[in-house]
Amino acid sequence: MSFPTQAEEQALHERVLARRLDPVATRDVFEAFTEPIIGILCKQRGQTREDARDATIDVIYSYLNHPERFDPQRARLSTYLTQSAKKRVLDFFRSSEARQRREQEFGGVFELRAMTPKESMEITVEARLAVERLERALTQEKDRTFLKLVLEGERSTHILAEAMGLPASTEAENRREVKRNRDRLMKLLGRLRKEDHDV
Amino acid sequence: MSNPDWLEHAVRRGQLEPWTLAHTFERYRQLEGLSEDALARELNCTRETLHWMSLCRKPEGEDFRAQVTAVAQRHDVSPLALAKVIRHVEIMNGFAESESARAANGDTAPLRLAARENVEDDEKNS
């Protein structure tokens, strides 16, 4: 599937700028650009279709939210969207690479020395008790899922908001709600840790 | 109309954008407790058409009727059915906002709800 002609792209951009005068323009942008951009991204080495798809969709929504940021004097709309999607995919990749590194470092700390069976048993029991205490404190499944994601290093507002089951809302509102929830859970963890030390 | 594999993902992502019909349809489904298929039936279209329509900008403002007509014609659905869904969500959102404002002001008196008239007016005018 190929991109529209330059004239068609320019006409589509003008329809998007008209916003309320043409409510169908946004749909036409998806129809014209999504598949070709995903196709280009998928040709990059090691690229999964899922990442290519998510990056393309994200970039198109960013453009539709702020179409005035695109300057038709500098490039074609298809070039602008494709380049933005390539950068977005790179961000995804870096973020997942950073997460893998954090997990490896975390794993490395545990592998530093071999434990005696007695130590291992004590740690297992303590860990089980800690998990039980945490499960008692976190009665909501959503809280557990959210905490798991946070501890895994997830930072995407979109993913955390989804885990919280937030209704569809603005990015700013979601960010505020996610931060509030993260602060609440971190405070709870701090309290549990303090109780643990006091026991 | 084709049904590409990215369409449903674009719709899900669009539910986070208040200007989309995806957001409005999702809100309507939550309010009415409807599945996607049930909403598609209500609009007398396929689920696929519902998805494509979800990528459109939500009609609003002075030329509401013209915008609804444009979306409806493009997707071969009834403008009246589409307008009813959009208006219903607007009314309920307005109601929820005024209730929050009243609660914030400590106002606990019962609220008279007359918003339904707007939908009826639209129906008469269509």
Side-chain angles (χ1 to χ4, degrees):
Chain A
M1 198 175 167
S2 57
F3 288 119
T5 64
Q6 188 163 5
E8 285 167 344
E9 286 185 9
Q10 180 57 28
L12 196 47
H13 175 59
E14 277 160 24
R15 287 174 58 204
V16 170
L17 285 174
R19 288 193 162 90
R20 284 196 312 211
L21 293 175
D22 192 345
V24 186
T26 52
R27 172 228 147 111
D28 289 341
V29 168
F30 277 101
E31 202 170 5
F33 295 107
T34 311
E35 196 60 54
I37 297 176
I38 292 175
I40 290 172
L41 296 185
C42 282
K43 284 180 190 155
Q44 294 185 316
R45 207 168 54 148
Q47 191 57 70
T48 66
R49 183 163 171 91
E50 286 70 30
D51 279 352
R53 179 197 67 208
D54 291 348
T56 305
I57 290 171
D58 257 10
V59 157
I60 291 179
Y61 274 112
S62 297
Y63 160 66
L64 294 174
N65 276 318
H66 303 285
E68 62 287 341
R69 286 184 187 162
F70 163 64
D71 179 2
Q73 306 298 322
R74 294 180 60 185
R76 282 180 62 160
L77 183 55
S78 52
T79 310
Y80 171 76
L81 292 174
T82 306
Q83 292 308 318
S84 305
K86 281 182 180 173
K87 280 183 203 154
R88 192 69 57 105
V89 154
L90 201 60
D91 288 345
F92 286 171
F93 177 72
R94 282 181 183 148
S95 149
S96 106
E97 207 179 41
R99 181 159 52 218
Q100 273 178 10
R101 197 171 51 242
R102 276 197 301 275
E103 283 168 4
Q104 273 168 6
E105 284 166 3
F106 180 72
V109 169
F110 276 82
E111 287 165 7
L112 273 177
R113 62 186 183 92
M115 283 178 283
T116 64
K118 184 170 176 278
E119 275 180 322
S120 172
M121 175 73 88
E122 279 172 1
I123 286 171
T124 308
V125 170
E126 277 178 19
R128 193 184 303 137
L129 289 175
V131 169
E132 280 172 8
R133 268 201 303 277
L134 198 58
E135 281 180 345
R136 274 200 300 276
L138 298 175
T139 51
Q140 301 281 324
E141 187 59 38
K142 280 178 188 170
D143 282 346
R144 291 181 199 173
T145 311
F146 185 93
L147 188 61
K148 182 172 179 289
L149 285 170
V150 168
L151 294 178
E152 282 172 359
E154 184 56 66
R155 298 186 66 187
S156 155
T157 302
H158 172 55
I159 291 170
L160 293 172
E162 213 170 64
M164 284 169 69
L166 284 183
S169 186
T170 63
E171 175 92 24
E173 276 174 27
N174 276 344
R175 199 175 299 130
R176 195 166 50 242
E177 281 304 305
V178 164
K179 183 183 181 312
R180 193 187 57 73
N181 200 38
R182 185 193 282 121
D183 291 348
R184 179 178 68 82
L185 290 174
M186 288 302 137
K187 205 176 278 179
L188 179 71
L189 281 185
R191 204 165 57 232
L192 284 175
R193 186 169 170 270
K194 190 169 178 301
E195 282 171 9
D196 201 24
H197 278 264
D198 292 346
V199 172
Chain B
M1 231 175 316
S2 64
N3 187 19
D5 63 346
W6 50 262
L7 181 57
E8 198 164 339
H9 294 276
V11 174
R12 300 274 167 269
R13 170 67 179 76
Q15 288 166 356
L16 297 171
E17 305 287 348
W19 55 265
T20 61
L21 272 178
H23 181 87
T24 300
F25 290 157
E26 176 61 13
R27 182 87 177 107
Y28 185 78
R29 293 204 305 111
Q30 285 171 0
L31 289 168
E32 299 299 300
L34 293 176
S35 66
E36 263 188 349
D37 288 332
L39 176 56
R41 274 196 300 276
E42 196 166 316
L43 292 168
N44 200 20
C45 65
T46 63
R47 195 173 167 180
E48 187 183 307
T49 302
L50 183 70
H51 284 165
W52 279 111
M53 200 158 42
S54 298
L55 301 180
C56 293
R57 193 174 286 281
K58 177 186 73 178
E60 60 184 353
E62 284 174 10
D63 32 333
F64 176 80
R65 192 179 301 173
Q67 295 170 52
V68 168
T69 306
V71 175
Q73 276 180 353
R74 176 68 182 271
H75 298 92
D76 201 19
V77 298
S78 151
L80 178 59
L82 179 59
K84 274 173 85 171
V85 168
I86 299 167
R87 285 300 196 210
H88 185 75
V89 171
E90 280 178 358
I91 289 163
M92 296 312 287
N93 283 348
F95 178 63
E97 276 169 24
S98 63
E99 276 297 274
S100 309
R102 278 158 45 83
N105 293 332
D107 186 356
T108 53
L111 181 76
R112 288 186 203 96
L113 181 64
R116 195 73 199 162
E117 285 170 12
N118 290 345
V119 169
E120 282 157 14
D121 286 347
D122 280 344
E123 285 172 16
K124 282 175 199 159
N125 295 333
S126 298

